[in-house]
Amino acid sequence: MESPSSLYPKTVDLTNCDKEPIHILGYIQSHGMLIVFDKSSFEIERVSENVLNNFSRKRDDLLQSNLFDSLTIDEADEIKSYINKKETYALELTIEGFSFNGIVHYDNDLVYLELEGATLTKNREIPQSHLSDIVSELSDATDVAHMCDEAAVLIKNLLNYDRVMIYQFDENWNGKVISEARDSNLESWLNMSYPATDIPQQARKLFLKQGVRIIVDVNDEPVKVVPELDVNDKPLDLSRCELRAVSPIHIEYLKNMEVGATLTAAIISNGELWGLIACHHYSPKFISYYKRLSIKFLTQVFSTQLTLRDSNRVLGKVNEVSKNRGILVEQMSNGWDVHSGLTTINGHTLLSINESTGGAILLEDKLSVVGETPEEKEIQNLIDWIYNRKDGVLFHSKSLPKEYDAAVNFSGVASGVLCLFFSENKKDCLLWFKKESKQTISWAGNPDKPVDATAGTLSPRKSFEKWNEEQVHTSESWKDYEIASAKALRENISSVILNKYEEVKSLNDKLNEAYKDLETFSYSVSHDLRSPLRGIDGFAQIIKEDYYDTLDDFGKSAIERIINSSNKMNALIDDILEFSTLGKEEIKFITIHMGEVVSEVIDFIDARTAYPDTQIDIQENFPEVKGDKTMLFQLWNNLISNALKYSSKSENAIVEIGFEEKEDSIVFYVKDNGIGFDSKHSEKIFGVFNRLVSEEYQGTGIGLSIVKRVIDRHNGTIWSESEVGVGTTFYFKLPSIENYNS
């Protein structure tokens, strides 16, 4: 099995610096010494080579010997008492007559003892009263920007570095100097940005572990830790060591910046690296471990205040968004209209839950938009592209044109997009858009040239001159609370849809009950009403046949009225029964030639005999459809009968029956030049008992309701065009034959 050291690159340069094993480099900085010994036996397993030099010991004599037998340490008992404590601790030690600040921590079975030269007591730490004042000043800062400015000035005054910067990471780990305190002779680096490659991933991880990192002298010759590998061929992990040496690449980087010494403290918010407090000095500078502890404490206070302020800001946003979502739910629930509830301009909309400038919802094949958005076709294509990526239900980007070429055409209104699908199996989704936010980024050197290859090898760039980049096709970032609120709204919509489903189910149950009542009513109509009606009609016919001549004019008129009313009542009962049975009969889909059905209807109503003065034009070569023949017969029967009836009194009456081939469907029609009706009644005309004509024309007011129900049962569409005194045309279309199973 390979040793861990063999897994890392033999030669580290800018092409692989993110893999550089900086935690096991095997060197420490020369301002201190390192002794590593076994926790149980106190046997020394590793030392830095300057231990051998400073204490005049031979390597073979020192290694594998007991720490306290090999070196005279006055505080041996104190060290032993701290061994089982997990945290790092510091103590003052006297070894071989020399005073040191000792820093102790342990990892598994190894104890690390780091030795730094002792400093005078009055200078070794920051007074408690001073720290309290600083904490108060940070707490009193009015906002995050003010707090960062205060922190930079305070730490510069405490440590007297030439330059102190507050450096914040973005979502891509690029850094930006957001606050600065510096000597007056230095050029300002405020608002300068640095690419993520300047602080590689493994360095950021170590900041999370260590908190504060010091480089005393960039020109220092590091000291080797011996032996390099232990008996298991493993290098020593120096992750938590204060003295850990610096990556040669980083040293070269600092030299190119002409920096002599640094101190860096990690700003950690919600467990993540928010940024750094970066202190630069232009000559060697040492800060004692106790002062570093004080800076670590101040940085923790700063981080806590930062997290608190950010949390309060986000909490305010979350509360506002939650309130707005409640209003949206109320709007959606009003009439169970999700689209209208989310996009109504005079109320709250999709845009009320984040900082977007446009939004859209695709639900049940309907697309609705609000605010500034791309064209509907562009949105549909974008949804298809996101869906086909198969990245799950969530997608967001602040630079959409860099990922989706077509987005360049609408980057002005939608450089940023947040898309949330309701499920992985359907394209129904919510979308939010953010406008392009054009801005100029000032980089410390060209970020596209992070390396210099003039010497034939790759090394950190030497130029840090201000380099401006115009940022285009990019929006403001999507914040965590915006994504969370989008997810919450999706759940709200799902609940509204579920509630709508429950209501529809309840209505359906009631409808089933109504159907049962209708069946009972139909039975009653066919039996209980027909019997007395037959009696009335029968006796009226007897009176007419046997006593008609003995009646006066009024009596004769009354008999005729009784017989006519009886006939109308019979026709009405027939239509009611026909209408009621249409809703419950099972549709039997077969292939039907429409021309044959039309011919059968013409023969059935004996149209040419009953209406000899009406010209009936029937188009040839009718297409085939899929449908229920009995129902379609009823449909044509009612439409043709109405056309003949309502045009019969017209001069040169004409009824046309035909079809039109459209791009995606076939539209059938029945056209007449009869009495017509006002087009504002186009929808009303299909209602039960809604007659728009006088008693001059016989009818029950149910015929067109039967037509509408037949169309609905076939998932088709029907509409009309009409003008009073000019005529009426009824159009209908059925799903194409390919959409039915044979």
Side-chain angles (χ1 to χ4, degrees):
M1 180 178 177
E2 292 182 306
S3 66
S5 61
S6 68
L7 301 177
Y8 294 102
K10 299 298 183 184
T11 302
V12 178
D13 58 27
L14 266 292
T15 64
N16 58 12
C17 65
D18 60 330
K19 297 181 176 65
E20 185 181 12
I22 57 178
H23 62 301
I24 55 171
L25 288 176
Y27 289 85
I28 65 168
Q29 298 180 62
S30 67
H31 66 274
M33 296 180 285
L34 174 66
I35 301 173
V36 181
F37 56 91
D38 183 88
K39 183 174 67 172
S40 301
S41 66
F42 299 101
E43 283 187 358
I44 298 175
E45 297 199 1
R46 283 185 172 96
V47 295
S48 57
E49 287 190 328
N50 54 0
V51 171
L52 305 174
N53 298 331
N54 287 329
F55 295 126
S56 301
R57 295 289 193 276
K58 292 182 180 180
R59 180 187 300 186
D60 294 340
D61 292 340
L62 192 60
L63 292 174
Q64 304 304 317
S65 63
N66 186 284
L67 171 68
F68 303 111
D69 292 340
S70 303
L71 296 171
T72 304
I73 302 177
D74 294 349
E75 293 80 7
D77 291 338
E78 187 174 1
I79 291 176
K80 292 177 181 179
S81 68
Y82 278 102
I83 291 302
N84 290 320
K85 293 185 177 181
K86 290 185 178 181
E87 68 274 10
T88 300
Y89 60 91
L91 66 163
E92 297 178 5
L93 296 175
T94 301
I95 304 176
E96 304 283 321
F98 296 98
S99 296
F100 297 96
N101 289 327
I103 307 161
V104 182
H105 76 272
Y106 77 91
D107 181 19
N108 295 322
D109 294 327
L110 295 180
V111 180
Y112 294 70
L113 173 60
E114 298 180 75
L115 303 173
E116 293 183 354
T119 57
L120 296 175
T121 303
K122 66 177 182 178
N123 293 325
R124 76 180 189 182
E125 60 186 10
I126 300 171
Q128 186 69 36
S129 59
H130 199 170
L131 288 177
S132 298
D133 292 339
I134 292 173
V135 170
S136 297
E137 290 184 53
L138 290 177
S139 300
D140 292 340
T142 55
D143 54 34
V144 172
H146 183 203
M147 189 171 65
C148 290
D149 291 340
E150 286 287 330
V153 172
L154 291 169
I155 291 177
K156 183 175 184 343
N157 292 338
L158 287 173
L159 302 182
N160 199 29
Y161 275 86
D162 294 330
R163 186 194 302 271
V164 175
M165 300 168 287
I166 307 295
Y167 181 93
Q168 183 181 6
F169 293 112
D170 67 12
E171 67 271 21
N172 296 317
W173 295 108
N174 300 312
K176 182 178 181 180
V177 178
I178 60 172
S179 291
E180 177 188 56
R182 58 185 169 84
D183 289 349
S184 59
N185 63 312
L186 296 178
E187 178 187 2
S188 175
W189 289 355
L190 187 63
N191 294 322
M192 295 290 274
S193 296
Y194 297 80
T197 51
D198 282 10
I199 303 178
Q201 181 183 22
Q202 74 276 32
R204 297 194 297 266
K205 288 182 178 179
L206 286 178
F207 276 123
L208 284 172
K209 290 183 179 180
Q210 197 169 20
V212 175
R213 172 79 163 136
I214 187 173
I215 300 174
V216 174
D217 185 357
V218 299
N219 295 307
D220 175 47
E221 285 294 329
V223 179
K224 189 174 185 178
V225 177
V226 293
E228 179 182 358
L229 304 176
D230 63 12
V231 293
N232 296 315
D233 287 336
K234 290 184 178 180
L236 184 66
D237 187 346
L238 297 171
S239 298
R240 294 172 59 195
C241 286
E242 298 285 326
L243 295 170
R244 175 170 51 84
V246 186
S247 157
I249 293 177
H250 187 57
I251 288 294
E252 187 176 356
Y253 178 85
L254 293 175
K255 287 180 178 180
N256 291 345
M257 296 180 76
E258 300 180 354
V259 172
T262 66
L263 181 145
T264 311
I267 303 172
I268 300 171
S269 178
N270 294 318
E272 295 185 354
L273 192 61
W274 182 92
L276 301 171
I277 298 175
C279 306
H280 285 183
H281 209 65
Y282 292 89
S283 60
K285 187 176 182 65
F286 174 74
I287 301 294
S288 74
Y289 178 69
Y290 294 101
K291 278 192 175 181
R292 301 201 301 270
L293 281 182
S294 297
I295 295 302
K296 186 174 183 178
F297 167 72
L298 285 178
T299 305
Q300 289 173 340
V301 171
F302 176 83
S303 299
T304 300
Q305 289 288 338
L306 181 72
T307 302
L308 181 62
R309 290 167 190 266
D310 189 58
S311 297
N312 287 338
R313 179 186 64 81
V314 172
L315 184 60
K317 287 284 188 182
V318 169
N319 288 337
E320 179 185 355
V321 165
S322 180
K323 179 181 177 182
N324 291 341
R325 278 196 297 106
I327 296 173
L328 289 177
V329 170
E330 185 177 345
Q331 290 178 179
M332 289 185 290
S333 301
N334 184 16
W336 303 116
D337 190 343
V338 174
H339 285 270
S340 178
L342 293 178
T343 59
T344 302
I345 301 300
N346 59 357
H348 284 67
T349 70
L350 272 172
L351 312 186
S352 303
I353 67 166
N354 53 37
E355 298 173 21
S356 60
T357 50
I361 175 172
L362 177 65
L363 188 64
E364 297 176 346
D365 297 323
K366 178 183 177 182
L367 180 68
S368 298
V369 299
V370 62
E372 298 182 63
T373 69
E375 298 295 328
E376 290 195 7
K377 183 63 176 177
E378 292 173 325
I379 295 175
Q380 290 282 8
N381 291 339
L382 174 61
I383 292 172
D384 290 342
W385 176 79
I386 296 173
Y387 181 80
N388 292 331
R389 285 169 59 97
K390 301 300 181 185
D391 290 337
V393 297
L394 174 67
F395 171 82
H396 63 90
S397 172
K398 72 170 188 176
S399 303
L400 183 62
K402 296 178 182 178
E403 302 179 66
Y404 177 54
D405 292 341
V408 173
N409 299 323
F410 51 80
S411 62
V413 295
S415 282
V417 63
L418 168 60
C419 177
L420 197 61
F421 291 100
F422 288 95
S423 72
E424 293 186 6
N425 302 320
K426 292 186 68 177
K427 292 182 182 179
D428 289 350
C429 63
L430 296 164
L431 296 105
W432 289 268
F433 303 106
K434 285 189 178 182
K435 287 182 177 181
E436 180 182 37
S437 177
K438 292 184 178 180
Q439 57 181 299
T440 300
I441 301 177
S442 297
W443 295 95
N446 187 343
D448 296 326
K449 292 182 64 177
V451 299
D452 179 76
T454 56
T457 58
L458 294 172
S459 61
R461 67 181 188 274
K462 293 181 172 60
S463 173
F464 293 90
E465 292 184 3
K466 186 176 181 179
W467 191 89
N468 290 333
E469 178 188 19
E470 294 297 325
Q471 180 177 273
V472 295
H473 300 329
T474 302
S475 72
E476 295 295 329
S477 299
W478 294 99
K479 301 175 181 63
D480 289 343
Y481 88 85
E482 292 180 293
I483 296 174
S485 63
K487 291 179 178 178
L489 180 62
R490 179 186 61 178
E491 298 305 316
N492 293 146
I493 294 172
S494 297
S495 297
V496 169
I497 294 173
L498 181 61
N499 290 338
K500 180 180 179 181
Y501 167 79
E502 292 297 333
E503 179 167 299
V504 169
K505 184 176 180 298
S506 175
L507 291 174
N508 189 58
D509 291 341
K510 293 178 180 179
L511 186 60
N512 287 332
E513 290 297 321
Y515 271 131
K516 292 179 181 179
D517 292 342
L518 183 60
E519 289 179 2
T520 302
F521 171 72
S522 300
Y523 180 84
S524 175
V525 167
S526 61
H527 291 80
D528 299 347
L529 291 184
R530 281 192 189 277
S531 294
L533 192 60
R534 289 195 192 98
I536 293 172
D537 181 65
F539 281 109
Q541 293 290 351
I542 292 172
I543 292 173
K544 182 177 180 179
E545 290 178 5
D546 297 342
Y547 303 100
Y548 191 78
D549 294 337
T550 63
L551 296 175
D552 59 15
D553 290 342
F554 177 79
K556 292 177 180 179
S557 175
I559 289 298
E560 294 294 340
R561 281 176 175 269
I562 293 172
I563 293 173
N564 288 336
S565 296
S566 177
N567 291 335
K568 287 182 179 180
M569 191 67 176
N570 264 315
L572 179 61
I573 291 172
D574 289 339
D575 283 349
I576 290 175
L577 289 173
E578 184 177 345
F579 182 75
S580 66
T581 55
L582 276 176
K584 59 184 180 180
E585 286 183 352
E586 182 180 352
I587 295 183
K588 299 175 182 178
F589 285 101
I590 60 173
T591 301
I592 301 169
H593 193 287
M594 274 298 204
E596 294 178 358
V597 178
V598 170
S599 296
E600 290 177 10
V601 169
I602 295 295
D603 292 340
F604 176 75
I605 61 179
D606 196 13
R608 301 190 189 279
T609 301
Y611 299 92
D613 297 328
T614 300
Q615 178 181 333
I616 303 174
D617 295 335
I618 303 175
Q619 190 173 343
E620 296 182 351
N621 301 319
F622 267 80
E624 293 182 338
V625 299
K626 282 276 191 177
D628 185 292
K629 186 173 182 179
T630 301
M631 290 187 181
L632 292 179
F633 182 91
Q634 290 175 301
L635 180 149
W636 283 111
N637 182 36
N638 279 285
L639 290 179
I640 295 172
S641 296
N642 280 353
L644 292 168
K645 177 169 57 176
Y646 295 123
S647 64
S648 62
K649 292 180 171 37
S650 299
E651 187 177 353
N652 300 321
I654 301 175
V655 172
E656 300 177 33
I657 305 166
F659 62 93
E660 299 174 355
E661 295 188 24
K662 303 293 185 181
E663 183 177 343
D664 58 347
S665 63
I666 297 175
V667 176
F668 300 95
Y669 64 86
V670 177
K671 181 178 182 180
D672 67 66
N673 62 345
I675 61 175
F677 60 87
D678 193 326
S679 59
K680 68 181 181 181
H681 300 303
S682 294
E683 293 298 325
K684 181 180 179 182
I685 198 169
F686 294 106
V688 180
F689 302 125
N690 283 331
R691 302 195 71 216
L692 304 180
V693 296
S694 64
E695 293 297 324
E696 180 183 359
Y697 295 93
Q698 293 184 357
T700 61
I702 297 178
L704 288 178
S705 300
I706 292 174
V707 168
K708 182 66 166 62
R709 177 159 289 190
V710 170
I711 290 293
D712 289 343
R713 293 297 306 276
H714 283 77
N715 295 320
T717 308
I718 186 168
W719 67 99
S720 65
E721 295 177 359
S722 186
E723 185 177 346
V724 176
V726 176
T728 301
T729 304
F730 282 95
Y731 299 93
F732 70 90
K733 62 180 180 179
L734 306 175
S736 62
I737 198 166
E738 291 81 6
N739 291 340
Y740 291 106
N741 294 323
S742 299

